[in-house]
Amino acid sequence: MNKVNWKFDNTYLKLSKPFRELIKPTPVHNPEIIIFNDKLAEELNLDFSKLNNKELSNIFSGNDLPKETKTLAQAYAGHQFGHFTMLGDGRAVLLGEHLDNKKNRYDIQFKGSGRTSFSRGGDGRAALGPMLREYIISEAIHSLNIPTTRSLAVVKTGEKVVRENLLDGAILTRIASSHIRVGTFQFIASTQNIENLNILVDYTINRHYPELSSSKFKAYDLLKILIDKQCSLVINWMRVGFIHGVMNTDNMSVSGETIDYGPCAFMDHYDPKTVFSSIDKFGRYSFSNQPPITKWNLARFAECLIPIIDKNEDYSIKLASDLIDNFQNIYEDKWLKMMKNKLGLFGEDKNDKKLIDDLLDWMKKNKADYTNTFCNLMGINSDEFFKNDDFNDWKNKWKKRSKLNNLSKEKQIKLMRKNNPIVIPRNHKVEEALAAAEKGNIDKMKKLLMILNNPYHNHKENKEYVMSAPKSNETYQTFCGT
Ligand code: AMP
Ligand code: MG
């Protein structure tokens, strides 16, 4: 099989037993490749061009494993909706780490590949709809220039999975810079094995933050850098109106990538309380709760590191608490900068925050589409909706403030165009594509993916993809999707 150019180097495998279980994917009955990401394969320096669909189906179902792999399920724990639970890959296996030509390291993981010792009551499988959904949204997030895991392929297994209905089973091949989660640290910390905790810190630094490898305060510095990374990630989500939906600590990667696309969705009209997930009854993971929840998750990460930040526990707690307490300051600075970028504002003015808050208030009051409001300001969307006195008053203030830029209008628009997507994966368009794909027609999904591949471009073909959701979509709900 190595005409494909796999270059595996499995360092996670070398970690000691508690970190993982060695297990193979359970072969499936009749695999059929549904979608394959040629562009991503190329970026990974993998070449599948000489393989036919049957061969691809066998590879990406796990029926025909590359011989350099030794598959494993990773152990982790996590706070799910605030409750601590032992978890682990209950329906996924890691094939190993593939190195591209520049020696960048990528985890190759099958999701939906059968039971493991972490499956608890689950069947170890995944359904086609949710796997295609992860494919669409993760690739869209990547094209929006937001760090994320990627999707290389989805195969149908030819077997049914039992959910509320009988559904087609499927396996997603997920690519990630690693699958080390906050929950991985929680799992190791819960075993109270300090040696393993240090090993995990070293491993994480080696893999993601080599600049810290000669630090004398590795645990402290790792916490500090992760606070910054996660803060930048959630700022990016706030920039494009993305709601992750299930920000449990096991779904938070220490690489700073978006991971685990379950009930996630993009906000249409601006409302900070927006929640799509059917199980998020109290809005724990609502749009505006994402920053405080990021901080909460980081505090759980900090707790894991207390035994190794400093020998003196009280001092360790103080150091960690000071870092966590500073999250709000970092967030506010980054948020202001991000919103100013969306509005094309350079320099500083003491009223900037007020100007932004006024716009958000107007959007909320008028149920304005989050994405399209910024498109209107960029001169791209001239919908009647925006011909509104209050909005015009605000615009005049914005134009006055923009004059302080002392820069050309072109420069302002250029900054805005880099920060405001024109097209996002609108919920009704995603559902439409998935409904067709589940019935065997993948064309709509491919077209959607093509459009989402270029979210900052104003393309003629975008038209039907940029319109706000119809009113009937206001009660849109997402499901955990297993
Ligand atoms: P998730 O909601 O995808 O983040 O998954 C949370 C935990 O449940 C992880 O440990 C998963 O491996 C596990 N899990 C989810 N669905 C299944 C399933 N169908 N079978 C076994 N384990 C599952
Ligand atoms: Mg998860």
Side-chain angles (χ1 to χ4, degrees), residues 76 181 250-251 260:
Y76 53 87
R181 306 147 192 265
D250 50 302
N251 292 337
D260 238 317

Side-chain angles (χ1 to χ4, degrees), residues 242-416:
F242 176 72
I243 301 170
H244 182 284
V246 62
M247 292 172 68
N248 296 333
T249 54
D250 50 302
N251 292 337
M252 189 179 201
S253 165
V254 298
S255 69
E257 287 177 345
T258 313
I259 188 170
D260 238 317
Y261 292 83
C264 59
F266 282 71
M267 178 168 65
D268 286 300
H269 64 85
Y270 177 73
D271 181 349
K273 291 204 162 60
T274 305
V275 172
F276 292 113
S277 170
S278 60
I279 59 166
D280 192 1
K281 296 278 182 256
F282 301 105
R284 181 181 170 90
Y285 302 134
S286 67
F287 181 68
S288 63
N289 248 5
Q290 297 190 117
I293 282 292
T294 302
K295 179 181 168 182
W296 192 90
N297 288 349
L298 287 163
R300 304 291 78 74
F301 182 66
E303 282 165 3
C304 300
L305 299 176
I306 296 294
I308 56 169
I309 289 179
D310 193 87
K311 284 197 186 80
N312 178 322
E313 189 181 71
D314 289 338
Y315 188 51
S316 251
I317 292 173
K318 167 145 184 24
L319 289 174
S321 307
D322 286 351
L323 283 182
I324 296 290
D325 288 344
N326 197 34
F327 177 89
Q328 192 61 21
N329 295 328
I330 302 175
Y331 181 78
E332 278 170 20
D333 283 352
K334 286 187 196 266
W335 183 83
L336 188 62
K337 186 160 194 310
M338 176 273 285
M339 290 304 290
K340 280 167 65 182
N341 287 343
K342 279 177 83 70
L343 292 172
L345 299 176
F346 294 86
E348 273 171 41
D349 183 71
K350 67 178 188 336
N351 294 324
D352 281 345
K353 169 116 186 0
K354 165 108 179 44
L355 185 73
I356 295 163
D357 286 341
D358 286 349
L359 173 65
L360 293 174
D361 285 347
W362 177 84
M363 286 166 72
K364 179 166 181 242
K365 211 166 117 198
N366 293 278
K367 293 195 162 193
D369 186 273
Y370 187 63
T371 306
N372 287 346
T373 300
F374 292 95
C375 287
N376 176 274
L377 296 176
M378 297 190 297
I380 287 170
N381 183 310
S382 53
D383 205 282
E384 282 297 309
F385 180 90
F386 295 105
K387 292 178 183 138
N388 167 295
D389 287 347
D390 287 345
F391 187 53
N392 276 333
D393 287 348
W394 181 87
K395 258 181 162 173
N396 287 333
K397 284 188 224 154
W398 170 62
K399 282 180 188 156
K400 209 165 131 197
R401 162 63 179 90
S402 302
K403 292 215 174 88
L404 296 179
N405 284 348
N406 275 336
L407 285 165
S408 64
K409 182 85 187 159
E410 286 75 53
K411 280 234 163 92
Q412 175 174 44
I413 293 287
K414 200 168 161 200
L415 179 63
M416 294 174 78

Side-chain angles (χ1 to χ4, degrees), residues 46-307:
L46 291 171
D47 178 10
F48 294 90
S49 60
K50 292 180 195 73
L51 304 190
N52 61 34
N53 274 357
K54 186 156 177 49
E55 289 169 307
L56 285 179
S57 305
N58 279 328
I59 293 174
F60 291 107
S61 61
N63 280 8
D64 179 14
L65 284 172
K67 67 173 184 311
E68 310 84 341
T69 60
K70 201 159 184 195
T71 55
L72 59 92
Q74 291 174 308
Y76 53 87
H79 275 91
Q80 300 190 300
F81 288 89
H83 302 286
F84 187 73
T85 320
M86 289 299 185
L87 298 163
D89 288 331
R91 54 161 171 172
V93 291
L94 182 71
L95 276 76
E97 304 136 38
H98 163 74
L99 302 179
D100 71 8
N101 290 351
K102 292 193 181 118
K103 296 254 175 348
N104 295 312
R105 185 176 297 268
Y106 301 91
D107 269 10
I108 314 285
Q109 193 206 55
F110 289 153
K111 183 169 171 181
S113 51
R115 285 180 55 80
T116 72
S117 65
F118 307 112
S119 297
R120 299 171 289 160
D123 60 1
R125 293 298 188 192
L128 179 63
M131 294 307 100
L132 293 177
R133 196 162 192 284
E134 169 152 351
Y135 189 114
I136 296 172
I137 313 276
S138 64
E139 288 304 299
I141 287 278
H142 170 73
S143 298
L144 286 161
N145 302 326
I146 300 176
T148 177
T149 64
R150 307 276 311 268
S151 299
L152 183 61
V154 174
V155 293
K156 231 160 79 166
T157 58
E159 296 169 8
K160 295 285 179 194
V161 294
V162 185
R163 299 294 180 259
E164 270 170 33
N165 304 314
L166 272 191
L167 300 171
D168 283 327
I171 297 171
L172 169 83
T173 302
R174 177 156 74 181
I175 310 296
S177 69
S178 89
H179 284 83
I180 310 167
R181 306 147 192 265
V182 167
T184 315
F185 280 80
Q186 290 181 290
F187 171 75
I188 294 296
S190 77
T191 65
Q192 300 189 327
N193 182 327
I194 299 295
E195 193 191 339
N196 278 345
L197 193 55
N198 277 310
I199 287 173
L200 184 57
V201 168
D202 283 339
Y203 184 86
T204 304
I205 286 177
N206 239 326
R207 207 152 159 183
H208 298 296
Y209 307 108
E211 64 273 29
L212 302 183
S213 56
S214 55
S215 158
K216 289 202 174 73
F217 309 102
K218 281 187 180 156
Y220 178 85
D221 286 339
L222 179 62
L223 173 60
K224 192 168 172 192
I225 209 164
L226 192 63
I227 291 172
D228 195 71
K229 274 265 165 174
Q230 286 294 335
C231 194
S232 298
L233 181 64
V234 73
I235 287 284
N236 262 317
W237 295 352
M238 305 309 274
R239 173 172 67 84
V240 300
F242 176 72
I243 301 170
H244 182 284
V246 62
M247 292 172 68
N248 296 333
T249 54
D250 50 302
N251 292 337
M252 189 179 201
S253 165
V254 298
S255 69
E257 287 177 345
T258 313
I259 188 170
D260 238 317
Y261 292 83
C264 59
F266 282 71
M267 178 168 65
D268 286 300
H269 64 85
Y270 177 73
D271 181 349
K273 291 204 162 60
T274 305
V275 172
F276 292 113
S277 170
S278 60
I279 59 166
D280 192 1
K281 296 278 182 256
F282 301 105
R284 181 181 170 90
Y285 302 134
S286 67
F287 181 68
S288 63
N289 248 5
Q290 297 190 117
I293 282 292
T294 302
K295 179 181 168 182
W296 192 90
N297 288 349
L298 287 163
R300 304 291 78 74
F301 182 66
E303 282 165 3
C304 300
L305 299 176
I306 296 294

